[in-house]
mmCIF file of all heavy atoms in Angstrom:
data_model
loop_
_atom_site.group_PDB
_atom_site.id
_atom_site.type_symbol
_atom_site.label_atom_id
_atom_site.label_comp_id
_atom_site.label_asym_id
_atom_site.label_seq_id
_atom_site.Cartn_x
_atom_site.Cartn_y
_atom_site.Cartn_z
ATOM 1 N N THR V 55 10.866 57.586 -18.548
ATOM 2 C CA THR V 55 10.990 57.764 -19.999
ATOM 3 C C THR V 55 9.784 58.532 -20.528
ATOM 4 O O THR V 55 8.787 58.690 -19.807
ATOM 5 C CB THR V 55 11.035 56.407 -20.728
ATOM 6 O OG1 THR V 55 9.729 55.825 -20.668
ATOM 7 C CG2 THR V 55 12.054 55.465 -20.127
ATOM 8 N N THR V 57 6.851 58.494 -23.721
ATOM 9 C CA THR V 57 6.022 57.368 -24.161
ATOM 10 C C THR V 57 6.662 56.566 -25.286
ATOM 11 O O THR V 57 6.147 55.519 -25.670
ATOM 12 C CB THR V 57 4.621 57.863 -24.598
ATOM 13 O OG1 THR V 57 4.804 58.941 -25.496
ATOM 14 C CG2 THR V 57 3.778 58.274 -23.418
ATOM 15 N N ALA V 58 7.811 57.030 -25.813
ATOM 16 C CA ALA V 58 8.531 56.234 -26.823
ATOM 17 C C ALA V 58 9.714 55.520 -26.195
ATOM 18 O O ALA V 58 10.580 55.010 -26.905
ATOM 19 C CB ALA V 58 8.992 57.135 -27.949
ATOM 20 N N ALA V 59 9.765 55.513 -24.849
ATOM 21 C CA ALA V 59 10.806 54.823 -24.069
ATOM 22 C C ALA V 59 12.159 55.515 -24.157
ATOM 23 O O ALA V 59 13.199 54.909 -23.884
ATOM 24 C CB ALA V 59 10.915 53.348 -24.452
ATOM 25 N N ASN V 83 17.307 55.453 -25.977
ATOM 26 C CA ASN V 83 16.087 54.648 -25.795
ATOM 27 C C ASN V 83 16.370 53.440 -24.903
ATOM 28 O O ASN V 83 17.483 52.915 -24.892
ATOM 29 C CB ASN V 83 15.575 54.170 -27.162
ATOM 30 C CG ASN V 83 14.155 53.644 -27.066
ATOM 31 O OD1 ASN V 83 13.939 52.515 -26.642
ATOM 32 N ND2 ASN V 83 13.186 54.486 -27.437
ATOM 33 N N GLN V 84 15.346 53.032 -24.199
ATOM 34 C CA GLN V 84 15.497 51.866 -23.307
ATOM 35 C C GLN V 84 15.940 50.627 -24.080
ATOM 36 O O GLN V 84 16.503 49.714 -23.514
ATOM 37 C CB GLN V 84 14.160 51.563 -22.611
ATOM 38 C CG GLN V 84 13.816 52.480 -21.467
ATOM 39 C CD GLN V 84 14.516 52.107 -20.162
ATOM 40 O OE1 GLN V 84 15.530 51.414 -20.153
ATOM 41 N NE2 GLN V 84 14.026 52.627 -19.068
ATOM 42 N N SER V 85 15.693 50.640 -25.393
ATOM 43 C CA SER V 85 16.063 49.464 -26.195
ATOM 44 C C SER V 85 17.576 49.260 -26.230
ATOM 45 O O SER V 85 18.054 48.216 -26.651
ATOM 46 C CB SER V 85 15.515 49.597 -27.613
ATOM 47 O OG SER V 85 16.105 50.719 -28.249
ATOM 48 N N LEU V 87 19.191 48.628 -23.861
ATOM 49 C CA LEU V 87 19.447 47.539 -22.895
ATOM 50 C C LEU V 87 19.088 46.160 -23.472
ATOM 51 O O LEU V 87 19.414 45.144 -22.880
ATOM 52 C CB LEU V 87 18.645 47.758 -21.607
ATOM 53 C CG LEU V 87 19.042 48.990 -20.782
ATOM 54 C CD1 LEU V 87 18.119 49.129 -19.574
ATOM 55 C CD2 LEU V 87 20.488 48.879 -20.283
ATOM 56 N N SER V 88 18.423 46.162 -24.612
ATOM 57 C CA SER V 88 17.961 44.864 -25.148
ATOM 58 C C SER V 88 19.134 43.988 -25.598
ATOM 59 O O SER V 88 20.026 44.460 -26.290
ATOM 60 C CB SER V 88 17.006 45.101 -26.315
ATOM 61 O OG SER V 88 16.740 43.871 -26.939
ATOM 62 N N LYS V 90 18.625 41.557 -27.490
ATOM 63 C CA LYS V 90 18.086 41.077 -28.766
ATOM 64 C C LYS V 90 17.784 39.578 -28.732
ATOM 65 O O LYS V 90 17.882 38.902 -29.735
ATOM 66 C CB LYS V 90 19.047 41.386 -29.944
ATOM 67 C CG LYS V 90 19.478 42.829 -30.045
ATOM 68 C CD LYS V 90 18.351 43.736 -30.474
ATOM 69 C CE LYS V 90 18.788 45.200 -30.499
ATOM 70 N NZ LYS V 90 17.679 46.142 -30.360
ATOM 71 N N TYR V 97 7.674 41.939 -25.853
ATOM 72 C CA TYR V 97 7.618 43.406 -26.028
ATOM 73 C C TYR V 97 6.227 43.844 -26.486
ATOM 74 O O TYR V 97 5.720 44.872 -26.061
ATOM 75 C CB TYR V 97 8.667 43.861 -27.046
ATOM 76 C CG TYR V 97 10.099 43.661 -26.592
ATOM 77 C CD1 TYR V 97 11.019 42.951 -27.355
ATOM 78 C CD2 TYR V 97 10.532 44.201 -25.372
ATOM 79 C CE1 TYR V 97 12.324 42.774 -26.940
ATOM 80 C CE2 TYR V 97 11.840 44.033 -24.953
ATOM 81 C CZ TYR V 97 12.730 43.312 -25.732
ATOM 82 O OH TYR V 97 14.009 43.151 -25.303
ATOM 83 N N GLU V 98 5.632 43.018 -27.357
ATOM 84 C CA GLU V 98 4.286 43.360 -27.854
ATOM 85 C C GLU V 98 3.297 43.412 -26.698
ATOM 86 O O GLU V 98 2.486 44.336 -26.589
ATOM 87 C CB GLU V 98 3.830 42.350 -28.924
ATOM 88 C CG GLU V 98 4.452 42.648 -30.291
ATOM 89 C CD GLU V 98 4.480 41.451 -31.214
ATOM 90 O OE1 GLU V 98 3.685 40.516 -30.996
ATOM 91 O OE2 GLU V 98 5.319 41.436 -32.137
ATOM 92 N N MET V 100 4.069 43.920 -23.584
ATOM 93 C CA MET V 100 4.447 45.055 -22.728
ATOM 94 C C MET V 100 3.827 46.348 -23.266
ATOM 95 O O MET V 100 3.135 47.076 -22.541
ATOM 96 C CB MET V 100 5.979 45.180 -22.710
ATOM 97 C CG MET V 100 6.477 46.421 -22.003
ATOM 98 S SD MET V 100 8.083 46.959 -22.631
ATOM 99 C CE MET V 100 9.156 45.820 -21.904
ATOM 100 N N TRP V 101 4.039 46.571 -24.553
ATOM 101 C CA TRP V 101 3.581 47.834 -25.141
ATOM 102 C C TRP V 101 2.058 47.917 -25.185
ATOM 103 O O TRP V 101 1.496 48.990 -24.963
ATOM 104 C CB TRP V 101 4.191 48.042 -26.526
ATOM 105 C CG TRP V 101 5.628 48.524 -26.434
ATOM 106 C CD1 TRP V 101 6.746 47.840 -26.747
ATOM 107 C CD2 TRP V 101 6.044 49.792 -25.943
ATOM 108 N NE1 TRP V 101 7.871 48.589 -26.497
ATOM 109 C CE2 TRP V 101 7.473 49.805 -26.004
ATOM 110 C CE3 TRP V 101 5.407 50.930 -25.446
ATOM 111 C CZ2 TRP V 101 8.246 50.892 -25.597
ATOM 112 C CZ3 TRP V 101 6.190 52.023 -25.059
ATOM 113 C CH2 TRP V 101 7.586 51.979 -25.130
ATOM 114 N N GLN V 105 0.055 50.939 -23.502
ATOM 115 C CA GLN V 105 -0.832 51.801 -24.297
ATOM 116 C C GLN V 105 -2.255 51.838 -23.761
ATOM 117 O O GLN V 105 -2.993 52.786 -23.994
ATOM 118 C CB GLN V 105 -0.820 51.344 -25.757
ATOM 119 C CG GLN V 105 0.453 51.827 -26.431
ATOM 120 C CD GLN V 105 0.656 51.228 -27.802
ATOM 121 O OE1 GLN V 105 0.065 50.207 -28.136
ATOM 122 N NE2 GLN V 105 1.493 51.846 -28.589
ATOM 123 N N LEU V 114 13.089 40.350 -18.751
ATOM 124 C CA LEU V 114 13.696 40.568 -20.065
ATOM 125 C C LEU V 114 15.180 40.233 -19.980
ATOM 126 O O LEU V 114 15.795 40.365 -18.919
ATOM 127 C CB LEU V 114 13.575 42.047 -20.474
ATOM 128 C CG LEU V 114 12.177 42.660 -20.532
ATOM 129 C CD1 LEU V 114 12.281 44.169 -20.757
ATOM 130 C CD2 LEU V 114 11.375 42.033 -21.657
ATOM 131 N N ASN V 116 18.627 41.425 -20.698
ATOM 132 C CA ASN V 116 19.261 42.720 -20.941
ATOM 133 C C ASN V 116 20.761 42.597 -21.162
ATOM 134 O O ASN V 116 21.378 41.589 -20.787
ATOM 135 C CB ASN V 116 19.021 43.651 -19.742
ATOM 136 C CG ASN V 116 17.724 44.428 -19.901
ATOM 137 O OD1 ASN V 116 17.019 44.256 -20.881
ATOM 138 N ND2 ASN V 116 17.428 45.292 -18.937
ATOM 139 N N LEU V 128 11.387 43.502 -14.516
ATOM 140 C CA LEU V 128 10.984 44.864 -14.837
ATOM 141 C C LEU V 128 9.549 45.151 -14.428
ATOM 142 O O LEU V 128 8.680 44.311 -14.583
ATOM 143 C CB LEU V 128 11.109 45.029 -16.361
ATOM 144 C CG LEU V 128 11.346 46.418 -16.875
ATOM 145 C CD1 LEU V 128 12.755 46.863 -16.522
ATOM 146 C CD2 LEU V 128 11.200 46.437 -18.397
ATOM 147 N N ILE V 130 6.958 48.285 -15.179
ATOM 148 C CA ILE V 130 6.780 49.586 -15.851
ATOM 149 C C ILE V 130 5.389 50.119 -15.543
ATOM 150 O O ILE V 130 4.394 49.398 -15.696
ATOM 151 C CB ILE V 130 6.961 49.484 -17.376
ATOM 152 C CG1 ILE V 130 8.315 48.818 -17.704
ATOM 153 C CG2 ILE V 130 6.896 50.858 -18.025
ATOM 154 C CD1 ILE V 130 8.554 48.608 -19.190
ATOM 155 N N TYR V 143 6.684 57.140 -18.559
ATOM 156 C CA TYR V 143 6.644 55.794 -17.949
ATOM 157 C C TYR V 143 7.698 55.745 -16.865
ATOM 158 O O TYR V 143 8.798 56.294 -17.043
ATOM 159 C CB TYR V 143 6.948 54.702 -18.968
ATOM 160 C CG TYR V 143 5.875 54.548 -20.040
ATOM 161 C CD1 TYR V 143 6.228 54.553 -21.389
ATOM 162 C CD2 TYR V 143 4.536 54.388 -19.695
ATOM 163 C CE1 TYR V 143 5.272 54.407 -22.378
ATOM 164 C CE2 TYR V 143 3.568 54.245 -20.689
ATOM 165 C CZ TYR V 143 3.929 54.259 -22.016
ATOM 166 O OH TYR V 143 2.974 54.113 -22.970
ATOM 167 N N GLY V 145 9.994 53.138 -15.033
ATOM 168 C CA GLY V 145 10.499 51.758 -15.116
ATOM 169 C C GLY V 145 11.384 51.451 -13.921
ATOM 170 O O GLY V 145 12.257 52.227 -13.574
HETATM 171 P P1 FAD G 608 11.655 47.733 -31.224
HETATM 172 O O1 FAD G 608 11.869 48.021 -32.636
HETATM 173 O O2 FAD G 608 11.825 48.851 -30.286
HETATM 174 O O3 FAD G 608 10.184 47.119 -31.014
HETATM 175 C C1 FAD G 608 9.851 45.826 -30.627
HETATM 176 C C2 FAD G 608 8.375 45.695 -30.423
HETATM 177 O O4 FAD G 608 7.871 46.685 -29.510
HETATM 178 C C3 FAD G 608 7.609 45.907 -31.695
HETATM 179 O O5 FAD G 608 6.571 44.957 -31.769
HETATM 180 C C4 FAD G 608 7.105 47.310 -31.628
HETATM 181 O O6 FAD G 608 5.883 47.437 -32.308
HETATM 182 C C5 FAD G 608 6.935 47.522 -30.135
HETATM 183 N N1 FAD G 608 7.189 48.901 -29.763
HETATM 184 C C6 FAD G 608 8.378 49.512 -29.652
HETATM 185 N N2 FAD G 608 8.212 50.789 -29.240
HETATM 186 C C7 FAD G 608 6.912 50.967 -29.107
HETATM 187 C C8 FAD G 608 6.135 52.065 -28.701
HETATM 188 N N3 FAD G 608 6.665 53.258 -28.348
HETATM 189 N N4 FAD G 608 4.794 51.930 -28.669
HETATM 190 C C9 FAD G 608 4.255 50.756 -29.027
HETATM 191 N N5 FAD G 608 4.931 49.662 -29.377
HETATM 192 C C10 FAD G 608 6.238 49.795 -29.428
HETATM 193 N N6 FAD G 608 13.506 46.833 -23.302
HETATM 194 C C11 FAD G 608 14.537 46.007 -22.960
HETATM 195 O O7 FAD G 608 14.967 45.174 -23.765
HETATM 196 N N7 FAD G 608 15.123 46.145 -21.708
HETATM 197 C C12 FAD G 608 14.720 47.051 -20.794
HETATM 198 O O8 FAD G 608 15.242 47.106 -19.706
HETATM 199 C C13 FAD G 608 13.629 47.897 -21.146
HETATM 200 N N8 FAD G 608 13.158 48.798 -20.268
HETATM 201 C C14 FAD G 608 12.125 49.619 -20.630
HETATM 202 C C15 FAD G 608 11.676 50.571 -19.722
HETATM 203 C C16 FAD G 608 10.598 51.396 -20.045
HETATM 204 C C17 FAD G 608 10.120 52.435 -19.026
HETATM 205 C C18 FAD G 608 9.998 51.284 -21.321
HETATM 206 C C19 FAD G 608 8.838 52.171 -21.667
HETATM 207 C C20 FAD G 608 10.445 50.338 -22.223
HETATM 208 C C21 FAD G 608 11.505 49.494 -21.908
HETATM 209 N N9 FAD G 608 11.981 48.562 -22.824
HETATM 210 C C22 FAD G 608 13.035 47.751 -22.439
HETATM 211 C C23 FAD G 608 11.381 48.354 -24.136
HETATM 212 C C24 FAD G 608 12.200 49.018 -25.221
HETATM 213 O O9 FAD G 608 11.805 50.353 -25.308
HETATM 214 C C25 FAD G 608 12.050 48.348 -26.569
HETATM 215 O O10 FAD G 608 10.703 48.297 -26.931
HETATM 216 C C26 FAD G 608 12.609 46.930 -26.542
HETATM 217 O O11 FAD G 608 13.863 46.943 -26.026
HETATM 218 C C27 FAD G 608 12.674 46.368 -27.931
HETATM 219 O O12 FAD G 608 13.551 47.058 -28.678
HETATM 220 P P2 FAD G 608 13.988 46.662 -30.140
HETATM 221 O O13 FAD G 608 14.856 47.698 -30.649
HETATM 222 O O14 FAD G 608 14.491 45.241 -30.104
HETATM 223 O O15 FAD G 608 12.614 46.587 -30.910
#
Side-chain angles (χ1 to χ4, degrees):
T55 71
T57 50
N83 194 281
Q84 283 279 20
S85 63
L87 294 177
S88 171
K90 307 290 177 204
Y97 294 126
E98 280 158 22
M100 173 207 284
W101 282 110
Q105 282 170 341
L114 303 172
N116 271 1
L128 206 71
I130 307 177
Y143 293 129

